[in-house]
Amino acid sequence: MQSNLMQRVAVAIVGIPLFLWLNMQGGLYFLALVLLLSLMATWEFWRLAAHRAHPPSIAILLPLTAFIQLDFYYGFIGYWEAILAVVMFLYVLEIWRNQGSQFMNLGATLVGLLYVNLSFGALLRLRLSETTGAGSGEALVLLLFLCVWAADIFAYFGGRGFGGKFIKKKLFPRISPKKTWEGYLAGIAGSALAAWACSAYISGCPDGRAIPAGLFIGAVAPAGDLLESMFKRDAGVKDSSGVIPGHGGVLDRFDTVMFIAPLLYFLAHHW
């Protein structure tokens, strides 16, 4: 336990400043970060899917992920066209494969590929957002991560300190038996507090809209963790991988960010 905590602290000491710097630089620097994370997440989801189906070779899926993410940045043919091309390619590819169930193979492959690429693609497009009344791209990404981190920390300590003392029923026992309503509510409060701090002290953060966004992020944040827990439970594994010491894999560490990024992108372009 102590070793795991030290690994988490070490990763945070290195990872958080690196992320902040890459987010500040934007452009190709942020693209490199998103591309790396999406490739690793695709590999992890492929490993999960292999427990229940026979997805195509990872040597096929990784270039498809790179193609989609690069199109999100450069706009070779447009996001919709790029995703449509990948989906149709996978449909045709399955005709020539004769392993397992075609329904299971396509289902597992498409769920993983679309979830990973739409999530990280939304994060990339969020960072590329021009400075408007909805905030700058840099500030919006920072708002997202600060709220997610705060919700996670407050939920953890709120659950440990008060879990089950006021509300006996668990939040979602079928998938995550340890989550409590007290932790959930503390997470919402933490996310709102982080959003307030972002709007008050960070230039480019959307004034008057950050706190509602923070409340929204805190309210829906557990869904990202529950979604990834559902996939891992179905695959019968504890972690998606061990590439991040003390945290597991990219899917384990960025599950909430992946779920929230498309939602915040939608909010930022329609509020």
Side-chain angles (χ1 to χ4, degrees), residues 227-251:
L227 185 63
E228 203 245 344
S229 295
M230 177 183 72
F231 291 138
K232 290 191 297 184
R233 185 177 288 267
D234 193 42
V237 300
K238 182 179 182 295
D239 295 321
S240 57
S241 76
V243 297
I244 306 177
H247 293 273
V250 170
L251 293 176

Side-chain angles (χ1 to χ4, degrees), residues 79 123-141 204-206 209 265 268-269 271:
Y79 327 139
L123 179 62
L124 181 58
R125 295 306 306 175
L126 192 66
R127 177 59 184 87
L128 294 174
S129 300
E130 296 181 1
T131 301
T132 64
S136 69
E138 179 185 351
L140 287 170
V141 170
C205 199
R209 302 171 183 176
Y265 176 81
H269 286 78
W271 59 9

Side-chain angles (χ1 to χ4, degrees), residues 1 5 150-163 180 183-184 186-187:
M1 185 67 177
L5 178 61
D152 190 39
I153 293 170
F154 273 68
Y156 175 76
F157 286 105
R160 286 199 64 179
F162 303 101
T180 65
Y184 172 65

Side-chain angles (χ1 to χ4, degrees), residues 165-184:
K165 292 185 178 179
F166 300 98
I167 305 175
K168 300 300 181 183
K169 186 177 180 180
K170 297 292 187 179
L171 180 64
F172 215 106
R174 181 173 64 87
I175 294 178
S176 187
K178 293 183 179 180
K179 288 191 182 299
T180 65
W181 281 99
E182 290 85 351
Y184 172 65

Side-chain angles (χ1 to χ4, degrees), residues 115 118-120 122-123 126 140-141 143-145 147-149 151 191 213-225 227 254-268:
Y115 180 52
L118 291 177
S119 296
F120 283 114
L123 179 62
L126 192 66
L140 287 170
V141 170
L143 173 67
L144 166 61
F145 275 81
C147 287
V148 167
W149 288 339
S191 180
L215 288 169
F216 175 75
I217 291 172
V220 301
D225 179 63
L227 185 63
F254 291 89
D255 51 3
T256 305
V257 168
M258 291 173 64
F259 187 81
I260 298 296
L263 301 178
L264 186 59
Y265 176 81
F266 182 83
L267 284 178

Side-chain angles (χ1 to χ4, degrees), residues 24-206:
M24 182 175 64
Q25 298 301 313
L28 291 174
Y29 292 92
F30 199 78
L31 169 64
L33 172 65
V34 170
L35 185 58
L36 176 63
L37 292 176
S38 60
L39 289 171
M40 293 170 68
T42 297
W43 169 69
E44 290 175 358
F45 209 104
W46 174 79
R47 294 174 74 240
L48 293 178
H51 286 84
R52 306 290 286 179
H54 294 83
S57 168
I58 191 62
I60 294 175
L61 298 184
L62 290 181
L64 294 179
T65 287
F67 168 68
I68 293 174
Q69 293 304 316
L70 290 172
D71 189 76
F72 269 114
Y73 186 83
Y74 289 106
F76 300 127
I77 60 173
Y79 327 139
W80 162 245
E81 289 83 357
I83 293 172
L84 180 62
V86 167
V87 170
M88 297 308 296
F89 170 76
L90 291 172
Y91 283 163
V92 174
L93 177 65
E94 193 62 33
I95 295 175
W96 301 97
R97 302 178 69 241
N98 57 4
Q99 290 180 293
S101 163
Q102 280 67 48
F103 279 116
M104 293 291 290
N105 295 345
L106 279 172
T109 302
L110 290 175
V111 166
L113 206 64
L114 292 177
Y115 180 52
V116 167
N117 283 287
L118 291 177
S119 296
F120 283 114
L123 179 62
L124 181 58
R125 295 306 306 175
L126 192 66
R127 177 59 184 87
L128 294 174
S129 300
E130 296 181 1
T131 301
T132 64
S136 69
E138 179 185 351
L140 287 170
V141 170
L142 197 55
L143 173 67
L144 166 61
F145 275 81
L146 288 177
C147 287
V148 167
W149 288 339
D152 190 39
I153 293 170
F154 273 68
Y156 175 76
F157 286 105
R160 286 199 64 179
F162 303 101
K165 292 185 178 179
F166 300 98
I167 305 175
K168 300 300 181 183
K169 186 177 180 180
K170 297 292 187 179
L171 180 64
F172 215 106
R174 181 173 64 87
I175 294 178
S176 187
K178 293 183 179 180
K179 288 191 182 299
T180 65
W181 281 99
E182 290 85 351
Y184 172 65
L185 295 173
I188 295 176
S191 180
L193 182 62
W196 169 81
C198 185
S199 65
Y201 299 107
I202 296 175
S203 175
C205 199

